[in-house]
Amino acid sequence: MQGACVLLLLGLWLQLSLGLIPVEEKDPAFWNRQAAQALDVAKKLQPIQRAAKNVILFLGDGMGVSTVTATRILKGQMAGKPGPETPLAMDQFPYLALSKTYNVDRQVPDSAGTATAYLCGVKGNYRTIGVSAAARYNQCNTTRGNEVTSVMNRAKKAGKSVGVVTTTRVQHASPAGAYAHTVNRNWYSDADLSSDAQRNGCQDIAKQLVYNMDIDVILGGGRKYMFPEGTPDPEYPNDVNQNGVRKDKRNLVQEWQAKHQGAQYVWNRTALLQAASDSNVTHLMGLFEPADMKYNVQQDHTKDPTLEEMTEAALQVLSRNPQGFYLFVEGGRIDHGHHDSKAYMALTEAVMFDNAIAKANELTSELDTLILVTADHSHVFSFGGYTLRGTSIFGLAPSKASDSKSYTSILYGNGPGYTLRGGSRPDVNDSTSEDPSYRQQAAVPLASETHGGEDVAVFARGPQAHLMHGVQEETFVAHLMAFAGCVEPYTDCNLLASAGVSNAVHLAASPPSLALLAGAMLLLLAPTLY
Ligand SMILES: [Zn+2]
């Protein structure tokens, strides 16, 4: 087995070292024709001037522009192409802007303060969620009076169905921005509250998930924050570390179910797919892990749904409302892969995120559904080194560094990939750099690689998508969603209602995802298809 693996990697190296170039690209007519076609498409672009019946926000946590490009190359290579020329689903959206991600108090932001910006439309401080910058981190008594309301909350008030889907715990900073107000993003359950927070009546995020507003669809991880301390986890009953953690002994899942006649709770893929296709289910909560969901490449796909499957399930339930819906979908673990300096994890998560975008694009019409795709912030992730065309995105630069050793195209500015010992760094070869658990090298040692401070992209399609232009504050994302959906403070948006095309689309459950297979086949396919 190991011998076969070595042979395979050798084959991969030989193929990729050649840097094969598609032959038609050597002909100027190829580029002239392609650009003329793109120009033709651009000239025919027509803004969709009506209101958006449905709004979907896709948030790739930590998906900076360098991550988008690397993901494009990876996804292209997974499909047997050289890579950089093959567009992502998000690349095909017609409108684009840059978003300035800083927090009020930090030049390089975190996912909490940014969530307040793009979900509520007001910039906040680092590590605080759903509160203005008048609220101070960890000071419970600065919460009250400084709450800001999410577009999701306003959409619910306007009669739309609403949902939150994420690959992290549903109480994590990004999804929490849609429903919670807290001065500390780590207050997941009451067990995490400081004594000051308890004394001053601050509520944990899990409790706010159930009581702040009525959310129709909640899908992701985060079971343990919902159940009384000591409650065994249904998936890991013998692992006490996965038990419920609530000190107040409340069963928040049961309390949530009791609020709605048609509310259903599921904790595995099979039950999710069943519930989503059952028209008696009006409210759906699916929590698939005790905390964050597993990386896609580490999931057991018979037990855990992919982000694409969760997105489709959410759309099935939400699209039954004739007044439309608001859906937030987060590819939350792109960020975690980067923090851990394991680019393979970050980029495979980003490919899955793009697959979920493709699914939503397919299941909704651009005539009535605004879809925005963005990130909360970037990472200090880069790829360079003049790699040959067709080189694996995880591969090596073709020349040696000044220390006569090889180096990978992907590098991190800082993080756990720091390996300098006694003035020298380890050499790297193709087989180590292609290992999914390989940590790319970093210039500065840190336990966790940091976010990056540069702008992120916002891709847009659908009604009012043309307003997504130029360089904007991150808050503009929330305001555009509110305006397009004609919800507060834009109820007098003066836009004609959309024709309701998406509702006619039959949202049937799709066959089991081949995503894992696709991920695993990456190395296998690459040498044969070039
Ligand atoms: Zn992060």
Side-chain angles (χ1 to χ4, degrees):
M1 191 62 208
Q2 203 152 20
C5 207
V6 169
L7 273 178
L8 185 73
L9 286 165
L10 189 67
L12 177 69
W13 181 80
L14 284 173
Q15 291 288 333
L16 296 182
S17 310
L18 295 175
L20 294 180
I21 300 167
V23 76
E24 66 273 19
E25 293 186 18
K26 294 175 182 171
D27 181 357
F30 169 82
W31 298 105
N32 289 330
R33 191 170 52 244
Q34 187 190 64
Q37 281 166 359
L39 192 59
D40 213 37
V41 169
K43 279 154 56 184
K44 287 179 182 149
L45 260 184
Q46 290 284 349
I48 299 168
Q49 297 284 8
R50 294 189 173 229
K53 177 183 168 192
N54 311 312
V55 175
I56 308 175
L57 175 59
F58 278 96
L59 192 279
D61 197 315
M63 191 186 68
V65 172
S66 54
T67 298
V68 173
T69 311
T71 302
R72 179 186 305 135
I73 294 172
L74 174 59
K75 195 173 177 180
Q77 293 183 344
M78 287 166 79
K81 309 268 178 49
E85 68 297 316
T86 309
L88 292 166
M90 66 183 102
D91 291 341
Q92 294 164 57
F93 285 16
Y95 301 99
L96 189 83
L98 287 180
S99 161
K100 296 156 67 179
T101 64
Y102 66 94
N103 292 150
V104 170
D105 61 343
R106 297 267 177 151
Q107 200 146 272
V108 178
D110 82 330
S111 292
T114 51
T116 311
Y118 65 79
L119 291 171
C120 304
V122 173
K123 282 214 184 203
N125 288 330
Y126 187 66
R127 294 182 290 191
T128 68
I129 303 167
V131 288
S132 75
R136 299 285 189 81
Y137 170 68
N138 212 27
Q139 291 181 27
C140 172
N141 65 1
T142 65
T143 313
R144 193 159 300 159
N146 292 321
E147 297 93 340
V148 291
T149 310
S150 72
V151 177
M152 182 169 97
N153 192 313
R154 294 176 244 156
K156 183 69 193 177
K157 274 192 207 144
K160 296 187 188 297
S161 291
V162 301
V164 173
V165 174
T166 180
T167 49
T168 65
R169 59 201 85 177
V170 296
Q171 304 86 355
H172 202 256
S174 316
Y179 60 84
H181 311 284
T182 180
V183 291
N184 187 331
R185 57 177 287 174
N186 291 322
W187 290 345
Y188 296 121
S189 83
D190 66 333
D192 302 310
L193 293 171
S194 62
S195 52
D196 168 69
Q198 281 168 337
R199 242 191 343 269
N200 285 290
C202 277
Q203 303 291 317
D204 63 273
I205 298 170
K207 200 167 163 198
Q208 295 193 48
L209 172 70
V210 173
Y211 287 101
N212 272 10
M213 61 173 290
D214 173 14
I215 309 175
D216 304 270
V217 174
I218 300 167
L219 301 175
R223 285 195 288 260
K224 66 178 175 183
Y225 308 110
M226 308 297 280
F227 294 99
E229 192 175 18
T231 309
D233 185 84
E235 195 174 355
Y236 311 101
N238 300 319
D239 182 354
V240 293
N241 295 322
Q242 313 294 350
N243 285 356
V245 296
R246 296 199 67 80
K247 301 271 185 205
D248 60 11
K249 307 283 185 228
R250 294 175 77 152
N251 180 330
L252 290 177
V253 169
Q254 214 167 60
E255 292 179 31
W256 179 82
Q257 277 189 284
K259 292 194 336 176
H260 314 283
Q261 184 78 46
Q264 189 158 344
Y265 169 68
V266 298
W267 58 269
N268 60 60
R269 177 180 178 272
T270 310
L272 171 72
L273 299 186
Q274 262 164 21
S277 55
D278 180 350
S279 58
N280 294 317
V281 174
T282 60
H283 289 69
L284 177 59
M285 182 189 284
L287 302 177
F288 305 105
E289 288 293 336
D292 296 332
M293 291 182 70
K294 292 180 181 139
Y295 286 119
N296 182 269
V297 292
Q298 294 173 342
Q299 280 183 345
D300 173 344
H301 289 279
T302 62
K303 291 182 180 155
D304 298 318
T306 63
L307 184 60
E308 183 182 344
E309 288 170 333
M310 291 196 288
T311 302
E312 181 168 10
L315 289 173
Q316 276 180 278
V317 176
L318 297 175
S319 64
R320 296 194 194 115
N321 184 342
Q323 294 190 71
F325 62 81
Y326 173 98
L327 175 62
F328 173 70
V329 180
E330 185 195 24
R333 305 215 62 201
I334 302 167
D335 181 67
H336 296 173
H338 280 328
H339 280 306
D340 211 15
S341 291
K342 292 181 178 173
Y344 182 87
M345 297 303 170
L347 299 184
T348 49
E349 285 297 298
V351 168
M352 293 312 298
F353 179 64
D354 193 61
N355 290 348
I357 295 164
K359 177 57 76 175
N361 196 38
E362 173 197 319
L363 293 178
T364 60
S365 163
E366 69 168 355
L367 296 177
D368 69 359
T369 305
L370 171 67
I371 303 183
L372 300 179
V373 179
T374 190
D376 45 359
H377 55 73
S378 186
H379 272 268
V380 291
F381 162 91
S382 68
F383 71 100
Y386 306 109
T387 44
L388 300 181
R389 181 80 176 281
T391 300
S392 161
I393 186 63
F394 304 111
L396 305 178
S399 312
K400 302 274 188 203
S402 309
D403 59 2
S404 305
K405 292 173 182 171
S406 296
Y407 66 104
T408 53
S409 175
I410 294 175
L411 293 167
Y412 287 96
N414 59 44
Y418 178 83
T419 49
L420 208 58
R421 297 282 181 275
S424 77
R425 68 185 179 95
D427 206 349
V428 56
N429 58 41
D430 277 299
S431 78
T432 47
S433 75
E434 294 291 338
D435 187 320
S437 63
Y438 177 69
R439 281 195 163 117
Q440 284 76 14
Q441 294 177 1
V444 169
L446 285 180
S448 176
E449 175 264 11
T450 72
H451 296 169
E454 81 277 14
D455 300 346
V456 297
V458 192
F459 304 80
R461 78 89 147 124
Q464 306 306 321
H466 58 283
L467 300 183
M468 190 51 78
H469 81 115
V471 180
Q472 303 287 351
E473 292 288 355
E474 196 163 44
T475 49
F476 187 70
V477 171
H479 283 259
L480 177 54
M481 294 193 294
F483 173 71
C486 296
V487 303
E488 286 173 19
Y490 304 106
T491 44
D492 59 349
C493 63
N494 211 15
L495 299 171
L496 286 173
S498 60
V501 182
S502 284
N503 243 14
V505 177
H506 179 61
L507 299 176
S510 65
S513 169
L514 294 173
L516 176 70
L517 201 59
M521 290 294 282
L522 168 61
L523 288 178
L524 296 169
L525 285 175
T528 53
L529 292 177
Y530 277 90

